[in-house]
Amino acid sequence: MTDNTPRRSAPGAAGLFDDGDMKLADLILDDYRLIPVLERTGIGLGFGEKLVREACAENGIPVDLFLLICSVHSREGFVPDSASLKSTDVSNIVDYLHQSHEYFRLRQIPSMSAKLAGIEAGCDPVYGKMLHRFFEGYRAELENHFAYEEQEVFPYIKGLLEGRKARGYSISRFEENHTNIEEKLNDLKNILLKYLPADCCPELRSDLLYDIFRLEEDLARHTTIENLVLIPLVTQLENSTDDER
């Protein structure tokens, strides 16, 4: 029997996610969860036999940044070392996080919403209203989370890059209020798993559950990039700005 389980390198292992000279197709075949990373970095499918560094160069993506992001998404417990952080441009991280927000808002959430609407239409209205309430509450929380980053955090970082530090704000405030929003999906998962009648759109329900678990994992990696890459880099920027004064 053929084992089709995606192959993943251990955290810190040399090779797979440290080498820009491997074929991009091999990278994706090793872990299909990296497919959204391609879209967020502007790399389209149909790249043939191109190497990772070739595809990155054609799309204006620093290869070290691309490999760092892939490592976060694919290596459980991965923590970037100081050398990786030193070679990372904070503006590129902000761009990637912005594209991730757009992907969540315009691709993943609407797709889940469409499946939820199908379940609502096929179930007792009592259950449909309950699902709708929990999902829309989560969507609103997610939108607020992204809006805070887009309207407060990212402009603050842009100011630092231009040599300006806003008074009364620091990245520590973002860190203190930075919650793992993926945890809020638990109520919705439990409703779908435990409380809807067994005959309530079982196939569509399974599809939606799969999407929720995938979104939860994706958001966890998003949070990891913010906590372990963005915040340390911005802290360095703040310190350097203070030293120049």
Side-chain angles (χ1 to χ4, degrees):
M1 179 181 291
T2 301
D3 182 6
N4 293 319
T5 303
R7 305 178 305 280
R8 301 185 182 98
S9 293
L16 186 60
F17 296 105
D18 304 316
D19 184 8
D21 291 322
M22 71 175 297
K23 291 181 180 179
L24 180 56
D26 290 340
L27 188 74
I28 305 304
L29 289 171
D30 187 86
D31 192 342
Y32 66 89
R33 297 175 302 174
L34 297 176
I35 292 174
V37 175
L38 296 179
E39 184 168 342
R40 296 167 195 171
T41 52
I43 299 175
L45 300 178
F47 37 72
E49 302 298 317
K50 289 176 184 173
L51 305 180
V52 169
R53 71 174 63 258
E54 292 173 335
C56 286
E58 288 182 4
N59 291 276
I61 307 299
V63 65
D64 289 344
L65 172 71
F66 182 78
L67 293 172
L68 173 62
I69 292 170
C70 288
S71 294
V72 171
H73 277 268
S74 192
R75 292 178 177 177
E76 192 68 35
F78 173 81
V79 177
D81 56 25
S82 57
S84 297
L85 291 178
K86 189 174 182 179
S87 65
T88 302
D89 188 327
V90 67
S91 63
N92 289 328
I93 288 293
V94 170
D95 287 343
Y96 177 77
L97 293 173
H98 169 70
Q99 291 303 321
S100 297
H101 292 170
E102 294 297 284
Y103 183 87
F104 291 132
R105 290 178 56 250
L106 302 178
R107 290 284 306 278
Q108 284 187 291
I109 294 299
S111 175
M112 292 168 61
S113 181
K115 292 175 183 177
L116 184 70
I119 296 173
E120 289 179 36
C123 290
D124 186 289
V126 172
Y127 297 110
K129 289 178 181 178
M130 178 172 58
L131 279 172
H132 184 82
R133 183 174 70 252
F134 275 99
F135 183 81
E136 289 304 316
Y138 176 75
R139 187 209 291 264
E141 184 171 334
L142 194 66
E143 291 281 1
N144 289 337
H145 179 89
F146 292 159
Y148 172 71
E149 294 181 5
E150 296 284 346
Q151 298 169 16
E152 300 288 339
V153 181
F154 294 170
Y156 170 73
I157 296 171
K158 181 180 179 181
L160 288 176
L161 291 169
E162 295 172 351
R164 297 178 286 105
K165 185 176 181 180
R167 292 183 179 181
Y169 190 86
S170 72
I171 200 64
S172 62
R173 285 182 56 187
F174 171 58
E175 187 173 14
E176 290 168 1
N177 296 305
H178 194 203
T179 57
N180 290 323
I181 53 178
E182 67 274 8
E183 293 179 1
K184 303 298 184 179
L185 288 172
N186 283 336
D187 287 338
L188 190 57
K189 286 191 300 184
N190 282 326
I191 292 171
L192 291 166
L193 280 168
K194 300 178 182 179
Y195 302 120
L196 291 188
D199 60 352
C200 179
C201 305
E203 293 182 3
L204 199 55
R205 188 161 142 199
S206 294
D207 287 347
L208 180 58
L209 266 171
Y210 175 78
D211 288 349
I212 290 173
F213 279 106
R214 188 175 60 178
L215 174 65
E216 187 176 39
E217 185 176 46
D218 207 351
L219 283 169
R221 298 298 184 266
H222 184 80
T223 299
T224 296
I225 292 174
E226 291 176 332
N227 288 342
L228 300 185
V229 182
L230 181 71
I231 290 175
L233 289 176
V234 176
T235 300
Q236 292 176 12
L237 262 180
E238 290 176 336
N239 293 337
S240 64
T241 301
D242 289 337
D243 291 341
E244 291 173 2
R245 292 184 175 184

